[in-house]
Amino acid sequence: MTLLATGVDLCDMRRIERTIARFGERFLDRVFTPYERAKAERRVGAARIGTYAKRWAAKEACAKALGTGFAHGVAQSQIGVENLPSGQPVLVLSGAAAQRLAELVPAGYEPELMLSMTDEPPYAFAQVFISARAG
């Protein structure tokens, strides 16, 4: 396995809470996938905000690892966080984010994305590693 890139992000949960209060559905629809929204909306209070904030941090960390940030067509909604049955978070990319990932991976290799997220109010943190393994 070959490490190609890494990205990290630290997010202030209070900022996400203020943004949701100010822009509501418009912000949530623009940034988060339906899966992410459903997961967060099953929670209440600080747990709900923490779920959104960790996913915001994951999107930022992934965009940094892709080397684009949110430019060149890469948007927050193209980077989704889902969970395996075990609970492990995984990244699901679409659109320009998926295309950029494909460009990073050498011919004959398969991409592997690794994500770790945590929160300790008022902060949420995420780290992303992009690796390639022989296909």
Side-chain angles (χ1 to χ4, degrees):
M1 186 177 317
T2 302
L3 179 64
L4 300 175
T6 186
V8 299
D9 190 68
L10 180 67
C11 172
D12 189 326
M13 295 166 65
R14 297 166 294 192
R15 188 175 125 234
I16 298 300
E17 185 173 32
R18 285 191 305 268
T19 303
I20 292 171
R22 182 173 178 194
F23 297 106
E25 294 297 314
R26 191 173 65 170
F27 169 72
L28 296 173
D29 284 340
R30 182 175 55 85
V31 173
F32 298 99
T33 67
Y35 180 97
E36 292 170 318
R37 293 202 54 199
K39 184 161 188 73
E41 294 303 324
R42 287 193 299 269
R43 293 172 166 78
V44 295
R48 175 177 169 263
I49 297 303
T51 299
Y52 280 125
K54 284 186 285 190
R55 280 146 186 80
W56 174 271
K59 292 167 186 288
E60 290 277 349
C62 184
K64 291 171 184 174
L66 290 172
T68 59
F70 294 113
H72 307 286
V74 175
Q76 290 97 338
S77 62
Q78 297 171 351
I79 302 170
V81 178
E82 297 186 6
N83 296 85
L84 298 177
S86 66
Q88 176 185 347
V90 294
L91 288 163
V92 179
L93 306 186
S94 63
Q99 178 61 41
R100 175 62 182 148
L101 177 62
E103 292 167 1
L104 287 174
V105 178
Y109 283 76
E110 296 292 325
E112 186 169 301
L113 297 166
M114 292 169 275
L115 168 64
S116 182
M117 302 183 300
T118 191
D119 64 337
E120 180 64 39
Y123 300 106
F125 176 82
Q127 184 171 26
V128 171
F129 291 99
I130 300 175
S131 298
R133 57 181 156 69

